[in-house]
Amino acid sequence: MTIRNWFIFFFKALIIGGVVTGVFGLIIRWEDAFAPYVASGEYGEFAGSLLWFMFLGMTMSVISQMGFFAYLTVHQFGVNIFKTLTLWNWVQLLLIAVVIFDLIKFRFIPLANTQSQLLLYLGLMAVLLITSFVVAYLKAKWTKKHTFISALFFMIVITTLEWLPVLMVNEKDVDRYVTLLLFPLLAVNAYQLLKLPKYNAKSDVDRLKLEERRKERAQTSKANS
């Protein structure tokens, strides 16, 4: 990917993270983070709170992008180590199962002090799985069928690893942050997975155009000499 296309790719992912977190922040944190400012007419404070949530989303976007490029390296290592994509896909499926078990057994159940909390976490698990399957299906449909498992692995395992720090916090508002921060991670990871081929293709076209310009300049230089 060229620097220009990488910058566009990075900036759009940053905006997606900020906007998604801002919108879901308004919904999830309305009562404690926004409603008091509206009630008292402190609209500057309201805007400041919204900007803070958007900045938080942009931070999660950067984490997502680091995770994505780390996964691209891990994926290549996995294929090289296990020699075949088929065997590496089986390993990825096993890791998906382990991560889902770990989420339920060691993250959600210990965090849930009430039945409503447990239902919330299981609902978030459903959001994670459904979104991951939809994105993996689209990835396989738009590119190649064998990318389904890798896309599913990225959306479930890597998103969970990026989500893990907030899952390990045992604070009063942890439920709200666990809920809120899942959505920008899913949105940015889906964007990266589905749009990377587009920017790679653009980069290839840009390189071809640059090469053609260089040849034209070289020919012009020879003709002038």
Side-chain angles (χ1 to χ4, degrees):
M1 189 184 297
T2 62
I3 297 297
R4 175 178 173 273
N5 284 308
W6 174 82
F7 180 78
I8 296 171
F9 184 74
F10 171 83
F11 184 73
K12 285 187 176 180
L14 205 65
I15 294 301
I16 289 170
V19 170
V20 169
T21 308
V23 170
F24 278 94
L26 283 169
I27 298 170
I28 296 169
R29 300 296 304 273
W30 174 260
E31 290 185 3
D32 64 319
F34 295 101
Y37 298 133
V38 174
S40 60
E42 298 177 85
Y43 296 108
E45 296 294 332
F46 175 90
S49 183
L50 180 60
L51 287 173
W52 186 88
F53 279 104
M54 293 182 71
F55 177 76
L56 178 62
M58 290 180 181
T59 303
M60 300 308 294
S61 174
V62 172
I63 293 172
S64 295
Q65 294 184 64
M66 292 171 61
F68 181 60
F69 286 102
Y71 170 70
L72 294 177
T73 303
V74 170
H75 178 69
Q76 192 58 50
F77 276 126
V79 173
N80 292 336
I81 291 171
F82 294 100
K83 304 300 182 183
T84 65
L85 182 61
T86 301
L87 183 56
W88 171 231
N89 281 341
W90 280 109
V91 173
Q92 290 183 101
L93 285 173
L94 176 61
L95 291 173
I96 289 171
V98 170
V99 166
I100 292 173
F101 175 79
D102 178 81
L103 265 180
I104 296 173
K105 180 68 175 178
F106 300 107
R107 310 296 167 190
F108 291 161
I109 292 178
L111 276 175
N113 296 318
T114 64
Q115 187 175 2
S116 61
Q117 282 182 307
L118 182 59
L119 290 175
L120 170 64
Y121 294 142
L122 292 178
L124 294 176
M125 170 67 79
V127 170
L128 173 64
L129 294 179
I130 292 170
T131 303
S132 299
F133 273 98
V134 171
V135 172
Y137 169 78
L138 292 175
K139 178 68 174 178
K141 183 179 179 180
W142 293 348
T143 55
K144 298 177 182 179
K145 291 182 179 180
H146 66 74
T147 61
F148 180 83
I149 300 299
S150 296
L152 192 64
F153 176 88
F154 172 72
M155 289 300 299
I156 294 176
V157 175
I158 303 302
T159 300
T160 300
L161 290 176
E162 295 162 351
W163 194 28
L164 194 58
V166 71
L167 289 171
M168 298 175 69
V169 175
N170 189 17
E171 298 292 340
K172 182 180 179 181
D173 292 333
V174 65
D175 291 352
R176 292 175 179 177
Y177 279 104
V178 166
T179 304
L180 176 62
L181 296 182
L182 174 62
F183 294 100
L185 290 173
L186 286 173
V188 174
N189 283 340
Y191 166 77
Q192 293 180 108
L193 198 60
L194 297 176
K195 292 299 182 179
L196 180 65
K198 172 186 173 181
Y199 287 96
N200 283 336
K202 279 186 175 182
S203 297
D204 291 339
V205 171
D206 290 345
R207 277 191 288 267
L208 286 173
K209 288 180 178 179
L210 181 61
E211 187 62 30
E212 288 175 359
R213 290 194 195 104
R214 286 175 179 172
K215 288 180 180 179
E216 288 175 0
R217 288 171 186 170
Q219 290 173 357
T220 303
S221 178
K222 286 181 181 180
N224 291 334
S225 61

